Amino acid sequence: MTAGSNDESPWWQSAVIYEIALASFQDSDGDGKGDLAGLRSRIDYLKWLGVDAVWLTPIYKSPFRDLGYDISDYRAIDPAFGNLGSFDELLTALHEAGIRLVLDLVPNHTADDHEWFVESRSSRNSAKADWYIWAEAAENGGPPNNWLSRFGGSAWEWCEARRQYYYHSFLVEQPDLNWRNAEVRAAIADVMRFWLDRGVDGFRVDASAVLIKDAHLRDNPPNPEAEGKPPPQRHTPVFTDDRPETMHCIEFIRGIIDEYPGRLLCGEVQGKTDRIGHFYGTERPRLHLPLNFALLDTPWEALSLQAAIDAYFNALPEQAWPVWVIGGHDKQRVASKIGEAQMRVLAMLLMTLKGTPFLYMGDEIGRKRVSIPPDRIRDPFEKLVPGFGLCRDPERAPMRWDASANGGFTSGHPWLPLDPEGSANITAQQSDERSILALFRALMAVRRKHACLREGRYEPLRSQNDVLAFRRVTDGQEMLVALNIASEPRKWRWQGRGRLLLSTHLDQASSSPPETSILLRGNEGVIIALEPR
């Protein structure tokens, strides 16, 4: 297994983690949807690229209304993906290749056809009657309060069998579990142990900030910034999101993880940068890695990036390990925002900042958003809240492995459209020694080779003239990273001597830059190994 140079450091501190939406990675049986066998067939690619761990979106049995985040059975693989046998084979093959596997854990809600909910809704006196969030109707017979679903409309749905409403943060078919119920917590713990006992290396917790809702069902206040935003955002979710009690739920989940040495707990969190620190925990540990999307959400210019990076580091508790994410199944493709040339600069920034890098399948070839015709849209967000640019299908479209009509993804009809023929693909970029794929691979190799880039201190330098710069420092090594966030050449003044390790242009290797200034070409970033001061 891949490990850092410091044997006492957890493996994830030196790892590069690669998110895969399994349905869109590689199809093996021609049904148009990716599967476990397809992923297994691409392990050689992942090893060649240099990733250390794979995080999979849900693979459990599901109606697949929302990429599998509506789970019917936590202990079964969806037949479209394979079965427990093919899962075990994949896990073994990944481990043999030195790649760890992290699964999505979805503890906030289930599908409405999950046996737990079927029993819960059957009667107020059923054994699982209190496993979900139920409430009486308001005096007028309507929903208990004004809470809204993220997918539009009231978050409450009437159940005739119980003559009550149930709560759903997301789709009406995704009822929220009641995390105040000890039996629910124990059931999720058993699910975790089921997969940890099989050998998975950790979990990414979905929607971890919404596990607890206000016990008094108090109405959310109006959002003063709601104008022009989607209808679900017309209230400020004070009583539904990021409640203090949620931290106890995360601490409980972490307690299960800690029963298994060397396993990772990362998670989707919410709130501004200054809130991210509390997801790490203090006296009681919470997440190892609360996912941080600052590089995606910050305006792409040097001064804003400098400020966002500084604010994030300042928000971290002592001893907390940083994490940087540049893509995901719910986030718009960053290459569509900043362009392919600056995507190379972002790749260098991601791999040289202190912390664990996360990337999403296709980021390594500079993949942009895929155009989805209206009649092919699958995302319920766009169907239920149209017209606000919320569709996530452009990010979830299948991978293009080659230039063929179906991109080497499937021999059948892909479940979502692929990029047009002629778009970036893996095979073409593997044969191009200066492609962005080659750059990502080179950056991972440099990061793996030099402990300074994995473990060293982060020392910011003043960003000027569109150049973002910083040092990484250990007792035995010091490196300078300078990134030109402009498309025109920029001069960056410095004092020192060193050797160029890598340019985002993938040329000029091992040259020695001038001792007083560096002339960066447009869209160029460099890593310089400095001589001792």
Side-chain angles (χ1 to χ4, degrees), residues 445-506:
V446 168
R447 187 176 183 275
R448 186 178 300 107
K449 181 178 180 181
H450 297 281
C452 180
L453 293 176
R454 300 190 310 273
E455 304 162 9
R457 299 187 305 277
Y458 167 82
E459 294 186 356
L461 300 170
R462 183 181 178 186
S463 293
Q464 299 182 82
N465 197 26
D466 297 319
V467 176
L468 175 66
F470 54 90
R471 283 191 290 259
R472 297 295 307 280
V473 180
T474 60
D475 291 339
Q477 192 175 38
E478 183 173 343
M479 291 194 181
L480 169 70
V481 179
L483 307 166
N484 184 1
I485 311 298
S487 57
E488 298 83 23
R490 291 289 187 268
K491 182 177 288 187
W492 192 74
R493 298 191 181 280
W494 74 310
Q495 292 291 332
R497 300 182 63 183
R499 177 175 57 88
L500 179 67
L501 282 184
L502 192 65
S503 163
T504 53
H505 288 12
L506 293 177

Side-chain angles (χ1 to χ4, degrees), residues 108-119:
N108 180 69
H109 50 267
T110 68
D112 62 356
D113 64 350
H114 195 292
E115 64 178 4
W116 298 348
F117 187 70
V118 171
E119 183 172 345

Side-chain angles (χ1 to χ4, degrees), residues 198-247:
R198 294 190 96 87
V200 304
D201 299 287
F203 293 101
R204 174 264 187 186
V205 185
D206 179 66
S208 65
V210 300
L211 291 175
I212 291 285
K213 293 79 182 175
D214 181 54
H216 302 295
L217 305 185
R218 288 172 283 183
D219 289 319
N220 280 324
N223 179 3
E225 301 176 354
E227 185 175 352
K229 293 186 177 180
Q233 297 181 28
R234 69 173 182 259
H235 297 150
T236 303
V238 174
F239 296 111
T240 51
D241 294 25
D242 203 11
R243 301 295 299 163
E245 306 97 317
T246 298
M247 295 301 113

